[in-house]
Structure formats: C-alpha cells, structure tokens
Amino acid sequence: MSQESVHDTKAPEFNSKPEHEHLDRPYHGVVAGKLMNPLAGISRQQLMRDVEIFAQQKGLEDRLDMLKKGALLSQEPMEYDSIDILSQEEKDSIRYEHANKWSHPFTLYATVFLCSVGAATQGWDQTGSNGANLSFPQDFGIEAVEGQPDYARNNWLQGVINSAPYIGSAFIGCWCSDPLNNWFGRRGTIFITAIILILTPIGSACTQTWQQLFVCRLLLGIGMGAKGSTVPVFAAENAPAMIRGTLVMGWQLWTAFGIFLGCLANVAVMNVTSVAAWRLQLGSAFIPAFPLAIGIFFCPESPRWLMKKNRYDKAYRSLVRLRTTELQAARDMYTIHVVLEMEKLIVRSDNYFTRFKELFTIPRVRRATLASGIVMLAQQMCGINIMSFYSSSIFSSAGFSTKQSLWASVGYGGINFAFAFPALGSIDFFGRRSLLLLTFPQMAWTLIVAGAAYQIPGPADSKTRLAVVVTFVYIFTAFYSCGEGPVPFAYSAEVFPLAQREQGMAWAVTVCLFFAAVLSITWPRMSAVMGHTGAFMFYAGLNVTAFILILLFVPETKQRTLEELDQIFSIPTGQFAAYQLKVMVPWWCRKYLLFQKNTPDPEPLYTIEGDVDNVPASQRRIDNKSHA
C-alpha cells in the first residue's frame, strides 16, 4: 500500500506498514471481523516518525513532546501505565478521567449549554404561535368558523402561517448552514442565526396583514434551520464520547424550556387589552437569542472544524480549553487527525452538490443518512408537535375555555421540560436506540386513549372528558420527553463523518422541520375532517411505524467516539436488520412474551472488548459477529 494512501494524499512522507490494509478502506465494513483502532499495529518507531512529520507540517513543533505522548496514548489507550514517556502525574490524570466521566473543564459545559440556549427560541416560538392561534386569525380576518364559506380556506391559511418557520428552515435555512459554516465557522454561523432570531420575532409582532406575518415567520425559519443544523454539531464536536449524548441533549432541554416559557408568556399576556395579546406572544420569542449572540464568541471554536480548515495551532488551543489536561488534548488531536486523513480517501470533491450526493452514494455515509432521517422523521410521526403547535386549540375543542386552554398548555410545557431531565442521565446510560424502542409503544397507546376520550358522552365541558384528555396528553408528553425528545438532534449530530457533517446535519434537520411544516399545515384540516379521535388514532399508528423503522435501521451510538462511529456504520444495513429480525425479536418474544426467563442472551452483533462500564468508548476494540 502506498505511503500516500494511509495518511495524507498531499504528504507522501507519511507511511505505515503494508499489513494495515484496514486504513485504506475505513468505510467498507469490518476487516478480519474487527473494527480496529487505525493506529493499531504501527510500530512505535514509525508512529513517532509520523508524529514528527505531522508536527512539522502543521506548525506544532513546540508541542512535539506532548503530541508524541498523545499519539502513544491514542494507539494503546488502556495501556497508559506501560507508556514509559508518561510521567506518573500524567498517568494519574488518565486514570482519573476513566473513573470520573464528568470531570471536565467548566469551559466545556459552558460552551455546550450556552449554544443550546438558542433552542429556546424555537420552543418559545412554537408555543407563542400556539397561543396566538386563538386570536390573530380574528385580527387578520381569516378565522375558521364552521359553516362559513371560507371555513376550509382559513383552516389551510392558519396551518400555512404556523408552518412558515419550518418551510423556511427545510427549504432554505438548513441548506444555508453548509456554506455559512464553511465561511464563518461554527461560532460565526451561530452568531448570525442569533441575530436573525432576535429581529424576526420582533418583526412578527409588528405585522399588519397575514401576508406580512407569513414572510416574517418564513425569515425566522431561515435562522432556525441554520442554527438547528449547526448547534448540535458544535456541541457534539466539543464533547467527550462518554457524556456526548447528555451534553448534546442540552438542545432538547432548552427547546423544552422555551416551550414552557412560551406557555407561561401566553398566560401572562392573555388579559392584555392595550395591544393584541398575540403580538406579545409572538414577539417575546426573541428573548433567548440575546444571551446566545452575546456569549458565543467567548466559547472556543470547534477543534474538528479548525483542523478541517488546517488551522491546527488554533485547534490545539481549543482542545486545551475543552479538556482537563494538555495530554488529553494532544491525544484527541492526533486521533482526530488520523481519521481526517482517512476521510480524505473517500471525499471526492469539496463541491457542495457533490458532497450532498455522497450522503446517498458512500455506503458508510448512506447508513448514517438513513438512520438520522428515521429518528428525525419519527419526531414528527409521534405527534408531539400537534401539542406544541395546537395544544390550546386541542384543549379548547375538548371543552376548555380560552383561559383554561392556555393554563392546560402550561401544564403540557412544564411536563415536557421536567421529563427531559431524566434523559440527561439515561441517554448515555441506556443509549439512544434503547430509549426510542422503549418509549414509542407507550406514546402509541396514550394517544389512543386520549383520542378515545373525545367520545366520552356528556356536555361540551364534561369534566370527565376534560380530565381524561388532559391526563393522557400529559402522559404522552412525559414519554416523549424521556425518549424521542432528546435523541434525534444528539443522534444526528454524531453519526456523520466530518467531511459530510454539515451536509448530513442539514439533511437530518430538513427532514425534521419539513415534516413539522407538513404537520402544521395539515392538522387544522385533518382534525376538522377526521375529528380529534380519528386524528389521534392516525398518529398512534405512525408511532408503531416509527418503532419498526428504528428497530430495523437505527444502530446504537452511545459512548462511542465520533471517530469510532465511522466504523460502527460500516456494518451493512441488511446485516443489521436481519440480526434484529432473526435474533433479537425471537429472543425478546421468548423471554418477555412467553416468560421463558432462562432464555440465554443472544450472541451480540458486535462486542466491545473490556469492561463496558469502566472503559471509555475511545479505548475499546469492537468485534463484529456476522449474521446472515
């Protein structure tokens, strides 16, 4: 194998022994039954020579000694005690890192959660428009009154206006994120979107016609889409593998917090008479974007983005700020660098459209595209956004007064926020896939009960009907917040290789927000034609469909480094789906449906050597077990 093919197509001085053929095809499945550390088997002498060339080419000569230590640690992460050039203090720091997964600099936590604050704008806008639905149609002469000639037209108009941010996101905002990230970096893109998210809600509050409101909300969507495609990636690129899911789900936590604040704002202004309440409900969504715009440039830029731009010295400084010790920063830098060089072997062009095409033509990337698209689509299939967009109308249809509907929506927002907290720990403990498979069946049956409750006989304000509808909508929301709520953005931000990360995340967010627009447009008419019972049953069926798709096509990603995931997604889709159908489903049925408690655990599709509970993902070797 040529020297050029292993390390750097532009630097043939790099080389490795020819027996390491797995480095030459990192995205084409498992070599010799194992997903290998790309540095495995390289001699120490060769590795040190590679590091010296790397440091010289990247202007890091003054950090050469630390980079050599980091490279050795990256090659044999669990053998740090036997690395003779590490001091005892350095060995102790690695041992402490293994035993204390939450021990990281304040800068890391501040960076991730500050950026996630931007998600509150999205949540606030959802519930701002939710409350505004009760009043802005009257002001603009598009109220949908049953029996009136324009009933159907106004139903559709209200849906289109509510969906405008998601139309703007799906068709413009998400796809702007790639060039914006390329030109301005992760931080610059987040700052630009924060400015958009400050100006457009204020503009929405000042509109005089429904057409003006539609345009303002369309522009809001451009900022939302670019932000939603960037912030989770920024968080994932900065976070260590063991806690990446928890940190990246700060996005969902702040979205839920924004929904809750928006519900509270709706109640706070419902009795305002000096100005239309809906103007305050829509306009107040700018508030969370202020701290984001002010604070983003106090955060370090993504080291992976800087390395992609060949700014290795700045990347090193960012990693030092984001890791507890310089040794950890050097280890992570060299690991990222090796994978970047491997990725260069499959990247065919820097052209925007070519990289989009690669989402569907490169097998490893195509599997990530499929999995991320499914988890994002499932967020709309589950039906949560009919609550976020229309809970006030839904509760009003069940017999609540306007005031009661707004207060019931506060309860919805509070539960959505409160039940996001259990997922902070469970997303990295149980895993993304496990949470989804556990909660989707629960969301299905709760929607069935909530829909059936509309058929409870009695007067329009029947307390029994109201109580059952609200109770099961709240239970549905709690299951959502523990599962499908936090997973999609965290999952999608981590599954793509760096070369396609911006395009991949744009694809995933487009899927999510496009179908959010579809839901928003269709719900008013769907509920009018099918009734709330029929519409709830329809979404219950979609929950079952989403469960099947996740079972067959969404691999687990918990506690794996972004670099290790390149190899997880090398397992063919057919092999993964067949394993679920032929091995896992029969095993589960025997053990839990037939109560055969002594049923032995099935042989795993792949295994991680070492103690799973104590060994970080970056320090594991994965064996693949072939199943037809």
Side-chain angles (χ1 to χ4, degrees):
M1 181 170 56
S2 69
Q3 295 173 341
E4 180 178 343
S5 67
V6 177
H7 291 279
D8 197 331
T9 56
K10 298 181 181 180
E13 300 96 324
F14 279 91
N15 66 77
S16 183
K17 291 188 176 182
E19 60 265 25
H20 306 303
E21 296 180 0
H22 61 285
L23 290 179
D24 211 14
R25 48 191 181 92
Y27 301 104
H28 298 282
V30 180
V31 177
K34 296 183 183 295
L35 301 179
M36 301 293 292
N37 182 332
L39 298 176
I42 299 177
S43 69
R44 181 164 178 165
Q45 180 182 10
Q46 180 61 54
L47 182 61
M48 293 299 96
R49 186 158 58 248
D50 285 350
V51 175
E52 289 170 1
I53 297 171
F54 163 69
Q56 181 181 9
Q57 289 184 337
K58 306 303 180 183
L60 299 171
E61 295 94 333
D62 57 333
R63 299 180 173 91
L64 179 59
D65 289 343
M66 189 58 70
L67 287 170
K68 286 183 175 180
K69 294 178 180 180
L72 287 171
L73 186 58
S74 180
Q75 184 183 44
E76 295 288 349
M78 291 308 297
E79 303 300 326
Y80 52 88
D81 274 325
S82 64
I83 299 176
D84 54 3
I85 64 174
L86 295 185
S87 68
Q88 188 58 48
E89 181 181 359
E90 289 168 335
K91 293 176 182 178
D92 290 342
S93 70
I94 300 301
R95 186 177 295 108
Y96 185 82
E97 177 191 28
H98 294 175
N100 300 272
K101 70 175 184 178
W102 292 101
S103 179
H104 298 283
F106 173 77
T107 301
L108 172 66
Y109 296 111
T111 296
V112 171
F113 282 99
L114 172 68
C115 293
S116 296
V117 166
T121 301
Q122 181 171 329
W124 198 319
D125 176 74
Q126 287 178 3
T127 46
S129 61
N130 185 334
N133 284 328
L134 298 175
S135 55
F136 85 80
Q138 292 92 321
D139 282 7
F140 289 151
I142 56 172
E143 184 179 8
V145 180
E146 192 168 1
Q148 294 298 313
D150 290 333
Y151 176 58
R153 169 185 175 272
N154 290 345
N155 263 328
W156 287 112
L157 270 180
Q158 290 178 32
V160 168
I161 292 170
N162 281 323
S163 70
Y166 307 100
I167 295 172
S169 294
F171 289 101
I172 304 174
C174 293
W175 301 108
C176 287
S177 67
D178 185 281
L180 287 173
N181 275 274
N182 187 48
W183 297 331
F184 303 107
R186 308 281 190 247
R187 295 186 306 172
T189 300
I190 293 170
F191 175 77
I192 291 169
T193 60
I195 297 302
I196 295 173
L197 296 175
I198 290 171
L199 297 178
T200 50
I202 296 174
S204 296
C206 299
T207 55
Q208 301 301 313
T209 66
W210 71 260
Q211 292 92 339
Q212 292 174 1
L213 179 59
F214 175 78
V215 171
C216 281
R217 290 178 62 73
L218 203 66
L219 295 174
L220 170 68
I222 295 175
M224 282 172 48
K227 170 182 62 69
S229 300
T230 302
V231 169
V233 168
F234 182 67
E237 290 181 340
N238 287 335
M242 288 292 286
I243 59 171
R244 185 177 61 245
T246 300
L247 294 187
V248 178
M249 78 152 289
W251 172 269
Q252 172 59 23
L253 187 67
W254 281 100
T255 299
F257 186 55
I259 289 173
F260 180 52
L261 290 179
C263 290
L264 289 175
N266 289 341
V267 171
V269 302
M270 65 181 173
N271 294 320
V272 172
T273 57
S274 58
V275 65
W278 67 264
R279 297 185 183 277
L280 298 177
Q281 290 165 339
L282 294 179
S284 59
F286 82 92
I287 295 172
F290 258 122
L292 180 63
I294 294 170
I296 184 59
F297 285 108
F298 292 96
C299 302
E301 180 58 277
S302 162
R304 287 175 172 85
W305 183 85
L306 290 168
M307 292 171 70
K308 181 181 178 182
K309 293 297 184 180
N310 206 31
R311 302 174 191 173
Y312 275 73
D313 185 59
K314 290 183 177 180
Y316 191 89
R317 293 201 298 270
S318 280
L319 274 169
V320 168
R321 292 181 64 188
L322 294 166
R323 298 295 182 263
T324 305
T325 67
E326 188 176 356
L327 175 61
Q328 294 166 10
R331 175 199 63 197
D332 291 353
M333 164 162 272
Y334 197 71
T335 302
I336 297 167
H337 167 72
V338 169
V339 173
L340 282 175
E341 298 307 314
M342 292 165 61
E343 288 181 1
K344 288 180 181 179
L345 301 174
I346 66 160
V347 176
R348 299 160 190 164
S349 171
D350 282 336
N351 180 275
Y352 180 93
F353 297 102
T354 300
R355 282 185 288 114
F356 176 77
K357 181 181 177 182
E358 288 172 350
L359 295 178
F360 306 95
T361 57
I362 297 174
R364 177 265 180 266
V365 184
R366 184 171 62 241
R367 295 177 192 116
T369 302
L370 174 63
S372 63
I374 287 172
V375 296
M376 285 294 199
L377 176 60
Q379 190 167 72
Q380 305 310 321
M381 293 173 73
C382 76
I384 189 64
N385 279 334
I386 64 176
M387 310 302 173
S388 296
F389 301 159
Y390 295 106
S391 64
S392 297
S393 301
I394 289 170
F395 293 136
S396 178
S397 298
F400 282 101
S401 66
T402 297
K403 183 176 181 179
Q404 290 171 331
S405 296
L406 291 174
W407 275 111
S409 293
V410 171
Y412 156 75
I415 289 174
N416 189 33
F417 179 51
F419 279 86
F421 282 95
L424 284 171
S426 60
I427 193 171
D428 280 319
F429 183 78
F430 293 109
R432 291 71 156 143
R433 172 183 166 87
S434 299
L435 286 179
L436 297 179
L437 293 178
L438 174 65
T439 55
F440 265 95
Q442 319 311 322
M443 289 191 286
W445 72 260
T446 51
L447 277 183
I448 290 172
V449 176
Y454 278 90
Q455 302 304 311
I456 295 175
D461 60 350
S462 166
K463 292 183 179 179
T464 302
R465 184 191 312 113
L466 297 180
V468 176
V469 169
V470 169
T471 298
F472 283 94
V473 165
Y474 285 177
I475 295 173
F476 164 82
T477 304
F479 281 123
Y480 165 82
S481 296
C482 293
E484 179 62 14
V487 169
F489 280 86
Y491 190 92
S492 300
E494 65 192 0
V495 297
F496 291 98
L498 184 57
Q500 286 85 18
R501 194 161 292 158
E502 293 94 342
Q503 288 274 27
M505 192 63 187
W507 153 263
V509 177
T510 294
V511 170
C512 179
L513 298 184
F514 173 76
F515 283 98
V518 171
L519 182 152
S520 182
I521 291 171
T522 58
W523 175 258
R525 192 61 186 154
M526 177 185 289
S527 60
V529 173
M530 299 174 63
H532 284 80
T533 298
F536 274 41
M537 298 296 178
F538 174 80
Y539 277 98
L542 291 185
N543 274 271
V544 175
T545 304
F547 173 85
I548 295 171
L549 292 174
I550 292 163
L551 174 69
L552 297 180
F553 302 115
V554 177
E556 183 57 80
T557 61
K558 72 166 183 173
Q559 299 181 358
R560 310 286 168 80
T561 67
L562 297 183
E563 289 67 43
E564 190 176 69
L565 289 175
D566 282 343
Q567 315 228 11
I568 295 296
F569 281 91
S570 293
I571 297 173
T573 303
Q575 180 180 331
F576 181 85
Y579 175 79
Q580 307 308 319
L581 288 175
K582 297 179 180 180
V583 179
M584 292 304 299
V585 171
W587 170 82
W588 191 92
C589 290
R590 285 194 299 271
K591 186 164 185 176
Y592 295 104
L593 293 184
L594 302 179
F595 301 104
Q596 297 176 6
K597 300 301 183 183
N598 295 325
T599 301
D601 289 342
E603 183 182 6
L605 178 62
Y606 49 79
T607 59
I608 301 174
E609 293 186 354
D611 184 349
V612 174
D613 292 329
N614 296 321
V615 180
S618 60
Q619 302 167 5
R620 300 170 184 161
R621 184 173 62 191
I622 302 175
D623 295 339
N624 176 65
K625 308 297 184 183
S626 179
H627 293 272

